[in-house]
Short mmCIF file of all heavy atoms in Angstrom, two decimals:
data_model
loop_
_atom_site.label_atom_id
_atom_site.label_comp_id
_atom_site.label_asym_id
_atom_site.label_seq_id
_atom_site.Cartn_x
_atom_site.Cartn_y
_atom_site.Cartn_z
N PHE A 37 237.45 -70.78 24.97
CA PHE A 37 237.29 -69.88 26.07
C PHE A 37 236.53 -68.58 25.71
O PHE A 37 235.78 -68.07 26.47
CB PHE A 37 238.72 -69.46 26.70
CG PHE A 37 238.69 -68.58 27.76
CD1 PHE A 37 238.39 -68.88 29.15
CD2 PHE A 37 238.99 -67.24 27.60
CE1 PHE A 37 238.35 -68.12 30.16
CE2 PHE A 37 238.94 -66.38 28.66
CZ PHE A 37 238.62 -66.77 29.94
N GLY A 38 236.75 -68.04 24.49
CA GLY A 38 236.14 -66.93 23.99
C GLY A 38 234.73 -67.19 23.81
O GLY A 38 233.85 -66.16 24.18
N VAL A 39 234.32 -68.27 23.31
CA VAL A 39 232.88 -68.55 23.06
C VAL A 39 232.13 -68.74 24.40
O VAL A 39 231.07 -68.15 24.57
CB VAL A 39 232.74 -69.89 22.30
CG1 VAL A 39 231.35 -70.47 22.23
CG2 VAL A 39 233.30 -69.75 20.85
N LEU A 40 232.84 -69.37 25.40
CA LEU A 40 232.18 -69.41 26.76
C LEU A 40 232.04 -68.10 27.30
O LEU A 40 231.04 -67.84 27.99
CB LEU A 40 233.02 -70.41 27.61
CG LEU A 40 233.05 -71.89 27.20
CD1 LEU A 40 233.91 -72.69 28.10
CD2 LEU A 40 231.65 -72.55 27.19
N ALA A 41 232.98 -67.21 27.20
CA ALA A 41 232.98 -65.97 27.75
C ALA A 41 231.79 -65.14 27.08
O ALA A 41 231.02 -64.40 27.78
CB ALA A 41 234.27 -65.10 27.57
N ALA A 42 231.67 -65.26 25.75
CA ALA A 42 230.64 -64.51 25.02
C ALA A 42 229.26 -64.99 25.39
O ALA A 42 228.29 -64.23 25.41
CB ALA A 42 230.82 -64.70 23.52
N LEU A 43 229.16 -66.30 25.78
CA LEU A 43 227.86 -66.79 26.24
C LEU A 43 227.40 -66.34 27.57
O LEU A 43 226.28 -66.41 27.96
CB LEU A 43 227.78 -68.36 26.16
CG LEU A 43 227.89 -68.91 24.75
CD1 LEU A 43 227.93 -70.42 24.75
CD2 LEU A 43 226.74 -68.48 23.87
N GLY A 44 228.43 -66.02 28.43
CA GLY A 44 228.14 -65.53 29.79
C GLY A 44 228.15 -64.00 29.91
O GLY A 44 227.63 -63.33 29.01
N ILE A 45 228.86 -63.59 30.80
CA ILE A 45 229.06 -62.14 31.03
C ILE A 45 230.65 -61.88 31.07
O ILE A 45 231.29 -61.98 32.09
CB ILE A 45 228.50 -61.69 32.39
CG1 ILE A 45 227.04 -61.96 32.54
CG2 ILE A 45 228.68 -60.23 32.58
CD1 ILE A 45 226.37 -61.66 33.86
N PRO A 46 231.16 -61.71 29.79
CA PRO A 46 232.62 -61.59 29.66
C PRO A 46 233.18 -60.24 30.32
O PRO A 46 232.44 -59.24 30.31
CB PRO A 46 232.83 -61.63 28.21
CG PRO A 46 231.53 -61.05 27.72
CD PRO A 46 230.46 -61.54 28.58
N ARG A 47 234.32 -60.32 30.97
CA ARG A 47 235.03 -59.19 31.38
C ARG A 47 235.96 -58.62 30.44
O ARG A 47 236.30 -59.30 29.41
CB ARG A 47 235.77 -59.51 32.70
CG ARG A 47 234.88 -60.11 33.84
CD ARG A 47 235.74 -60.57 34.98
NE ARG A 47 234.97 -61.18 36.08
CZ ARG A 47 234.62 -62.47 35.99
NH1 ARG A 47 234.98 -63.30 35.08
NH2 ARG A 47 233.81 -63.02 36.95
N TRP A 48 236.47 -57.35 30.53
CA TRP A 48 237.18 -56.81 29.55
C TRP A 48 238.50 -57.51 29.35
O TRP A 48 239.02 -57.72 28.23
CB TRP A 48 237.48 -55.26 29.83
CG TRP A 48 238.23 -55.10 31.05
CD1 TRP A 48 237.75 -54.89 32.27
CD2 TRP A 48 239.68 -54.98 31.08
NE1 TRP A 48 238.88 -54.72 33.18
CE2 TRP A 48 240.11 -54.83 32.45
CE3 TRP A 48 240.71 -55.12 30.05
CZ2 TRP A 48 241.31 -54.71 32.88
CZ3 TRP A 48 241.98 -55.01 30.51
CH2 TRP A 48 242.36 -54.81 31.87
N TRP A 49 239.11 -57.97 30.42
CA TRP A 49 240.40 -58.67 30.37
C TRP A 49 240.25 -60.05 29.61
O TRP A 49 241.24 -60.50 29.13
CB TRP A 49 241.02 -58.73 31.74
CG TRP A 49 240.25 -59.58 32.76
CD1 TRP A 49 239.29 -59.08 33.68
CD2 TRP A 49 240.31 -60.98 32.90
NE1 TRP A 49 238.80 -60.19 34.36
CE2 TRP A 49 239.34 -61.27 33.98
CE3 TRP A 49 240.96 -62.06 32.32
CZ2 TRP A 49 239.12 -62.62 34.37
CZ3 TRP A 49 240.78 -63.33 32.78
CH2 TRP A 49 239.89 -63.63 33.73
N GLU A 50 239.11 -60.66 29.78
CA GLU A 50 238.92 -61.94 29.00
C GLU A 50 238.96 -61.78 27.52
O GLU A 50 239.70 -62.59 26.86
CB GLU A 50 237.63 -62.59 29.54
CG GLU A 50 237.62 -62.97 30.93
CD GLU A 50 236.22 -63.61 31.35
OE1 GLU A 50 235.26 -63.34 30.52
OE2 GLU A 50 236.13 -64.34 32.42
N SER A 51 238.24 -60.78 27.02
CA SER A 51 238.31 -60.48 25.58
C SER A 51 239.70 -60.12 25.15
O SER A 51 240.21 -60.49 24.10
CB SER A 51 237.29 -59.39 25.20
OG SER A 51 235.99 -59.82 25.49
N LEU A 52 240.44 -59.29 25.94
CA LEU A 52 241.80 -58.88 25.71
C LEU A 52 242.76 -60.08 25.62
O LEU A 52 243.63 -60.24 24.81
CB LEU A 52 242.35 -57.84 26.68
CG LEU A 52 243.70 -57.28 26.53
CD1 LEU A 52 243.80 -56.61 25.11
CD2 LEU A 52 244.13 -56.39 27.66
N THR A 53 242.55 -61.02 26.62
CA THR A 53 243.43 -62.20 26.61
C THR A 53 243.14 -63.08 25.47
O THR A 53 244.04 -63.62 24.87
CB THR A 53 243.06 -63.02 27.94
OG1 THR A 53 243.32 -62.19 29.08
CG2 THR A 53 243.99 -64.25 27.96
N VAL A 54 241.91 -63.26 25.09
CA VAL A 54 241.61 -64.08 23.91
C VAL A 54 242.18 -63.45 22.65
O VAL A 54 242.74 -64.13 21.73
CB VAL A 54 240.09 -64.16 23.76
CG1 VAL A 54 239.66 -64.84 22.37
CG2 VAL A 54 239.53 -65.07 24.88
N ALA A 96 223.77 -58.84 19.73
CA ALA A 96 223.98 -58.21 21.06
C ALA A 96 223.90 -56.72 20.97
O ALA A 96 223.51 -55.98 21.93
CB ALA A 96 225.38 -58.68 21.63
N LYS A 155 224.01 -50.90 33.21
CA LYS A 155 224.66 -52.17 33.57
C LYS A 155 224.32 -53.20 32.51
O LYS A 155 225.24 -54.02 32.02
CB LYS A 155 224.24 -52.65 34.93
CG LYS A 155 225.00 -53.85 35.49
CD LYS A 155 224.59 -54.12 36.89
CE LYS A 155 225.37 -55.39 37.38
NZ LYS A 155 225.01 -55.70 38.81
N ARG A 156 223.14 -53.39 32.22
CA ARG A 156 222.74 -54.41 31.22
C ARG A 156 223.24 -54.15 29.84
O ARG A 156 223.72 -55.03 29.15
CB ARG A 156 221.20 -54.57 31.09
CG ARG A 156 220.73 -55.69 30.39
CD ARG A 156 221.28 -57.04 30.76
NE ARG A 156 220.90 -57.29 32.14
CZ ARG A 156 219.80 -58.03 32.51
NH1 ARG A 156 218.99 -58.50 31.52
NH2 ARG A 156 219.48 -58.24 33.65
N LEU A 157 223.30 -52.84 29.43
CA LEU A 157 223.74 -52.49 28.10
C LEU A 157 225.33 -52.68 28.05
O LEU A 157 225.95 -52.99 27.09
CB LEU A 157 223.52 -51.02 27.76
CG LEU A 157 222.04 -50.67 27.42
CD1 LEU A 157 221.77 -49.19 27.33
CD2 LEU A 157 221.51 -51.46 26.22
N ASP A 158 226.03 -52.48 29.19
CA ASP A 158 227.48 -52.75 29.25
C ASP A 158 227.66 -54.16 29.10
O ASP A 158 228.70 -54.63 28.55
CB ASP A 158 227.95 -52.28 30.62
CG ASP A 158 228.13 -50.75 30.65
OD1 ASP A 158 228.03 -50.13 29.66
OD2 ASP A 158 228.28 -50.23 31.79
N TYR A 159 226.81 -55.03 29.62
CA TYR A 159 226.89 -56.52 29.45
C TYR A 159 226.84 -56.88 27.96
O TYR A 159 227.52 -57.68 27.38
CB TYR A 159 225.88 -57.30 30.20
CG TYR A 159 226.02 -57.23 31.75
CD1 TYR A 159 224.98 -57.62 32.53
CD2 TYR A 159 227.32 -57.03 32.30
CE1 TYR A 159 225.19 -57.60 33.97
CE2 TYR A 159 227.50 -57.02 33.67
CZ TYR A 159 226.38 -57.36 34.46
OH TYR A 159 226.63 -57.44 35.76
N ARG A 160 225.96 -56.21 27.25
CA ARG A 160 225.70 -56.50 25.84
C ARG A 160 226.90 -56.07 25.00
O ARG A 160 227.36 -56.73 24.05
CB ARG A 160 224.54 -55.72 25.34
CG ARG A 160 223.22 -56.41 25.87
CD ARG A 160 223.05 -57.86 25.19
NE ARG A 160 221.75 -58.36 25.59
CZ ARG A 160 220.58 -58.16 24.89
NH1 ARG A 160 220.59 -57.39 23.87
NH2 ARG A 160 219.45 -58.89 25.37
N VAL A 161 227.58 -54.87 25.31
CA VAL A 161 228.77 -54.42 24.74
C VAL A 161 229.95 -55.52 24.95
O VAL A 161 230.71 -55.82 23.96
CB VAL A 161 229.20 -53.10 25.25
CG1 VAL A 161 230.59 -52.68 24.67
CG2 VAL A 161 228.15 -52.04 24.83
N ALA A 162 230.05 -56.01 26.13
CA ALA A 162 231.08 -57.08 26.44
C ALA A 162 230.83 -58.29 25.68
O ALA A 162 231.75 -58.88 25.09
CB ALA A 162 231.06 -57.36 27.88
N GLU A 163 229.56 -58.69 25.53
CA GLU A 163 229.20 -59.90 24.76
C GLU A 163 229.58 -59.67 23.29
O GLU A 163 230.14 -60.54 22.64
CB GLU A 163 227.75 -60.25 24.88
CG GLU A 163 227.40 -60.70 26.28
CD GLU A 163 225.94 -60.83 26.40
OE1 GLU A 163 225.18 -60.63 25.36
OE2 GLU A 163 225.37 -61.22 27.51
N ALA A 164 229.30 -58.53 22.75
CA ALA A 164 229.52 -58.16 21.29
C ALA A 164 231.00 -58.17 21.08
O ALA A 164 231.50 -58.61 20.08
CB ALA A 164 228.82 -56.90 20.89
N THR A 165 231.75 -57.60 21.96
CA THR A 165 233.17 -57.51 21.87
C THR A 165 233.80 -58.94 21.80
O THR A 165 234.68 -59.23 21.01
CB THR A 165 233.85 -56.68 23.01
OG1 THR A 165 233.28 -55.38 23.04
CG2 THR A 165 235.35 -56.63 22.86
N ALA A 166 233.40 -59.85 22.68
CA ALA A 166 233.99 -61.20 22.80
C ALA A 166 233.59 -61.88 21.49
O ALA A 166 234.37 -62.58 20.90
CB ALA A 166 233.49 -61.84 24.01
N ALA A 167 232.34 -61.77 21.12
CA ALA A 167 231.89 -62.49 19.83
C ALA A 167 232.76 -61.95 18.61
O ALA A 167 233.05 -62.73 17.68
CB ALA A 167 230.43 -62.30 19.66
N THR A 168 232.96 -60.60 18.62
CA THR A 168 233.69 -60.07 17.44
C THR A 168 235.20 -60.54 17.42
O THR A 168 235.68 -60.88 16.35
CB THR A 168 233.63 -58.57 17.55
OG1 THR A 168 232.26 -58.07 17.47
CG2 THR A 168 234.49 -57.92 16.39
N VAL A 169 235.74 -60.66 18.60
CA VAL A 169 237.20 -61.16 18.66
C VAL A 169 237.20 -62.60 18.24
O VAL A 169 238.09 -62.99 17.39
CB VAL A 169 237.70 -61.06 20.18
CG1 VAL A 169 238.99 -61.82 20.32
CG2 VAL A 169 237.87 -59.60 20.47
N VAL A 170 236.24 -63.41 18.63
CA VAL A 170 236.20 -64.84 18.15
C VAL A 170 236.02 -64.82 16.64
O VAL A 170 236.67 -65.64 15.92
CB VAL A 170 235.10 -65.62 18.90
CG1 VAL A 170 234.83 -66.96 18.28
CG2 VAL A 170 235.49 -65.79 20.38
#
Side-chain angles (χ1 to χ4, degrees):
F37 178 79
V39 171
L40 292 176
L43 293 177
I45 303 175
R47 304 174 182 86
W48 67 267
W49 60 266
E50 292 178 343
S51 297
L52 181 61
T53 301
V54 170
K155 187 176 181 180
R156 187 58 62 90
L157 291 175
D158 287 344
Y159 288 162
R160 288 293 182 89
V161 172
E163 292 174 2
T165 302
T168 301
V169 170
V170 171

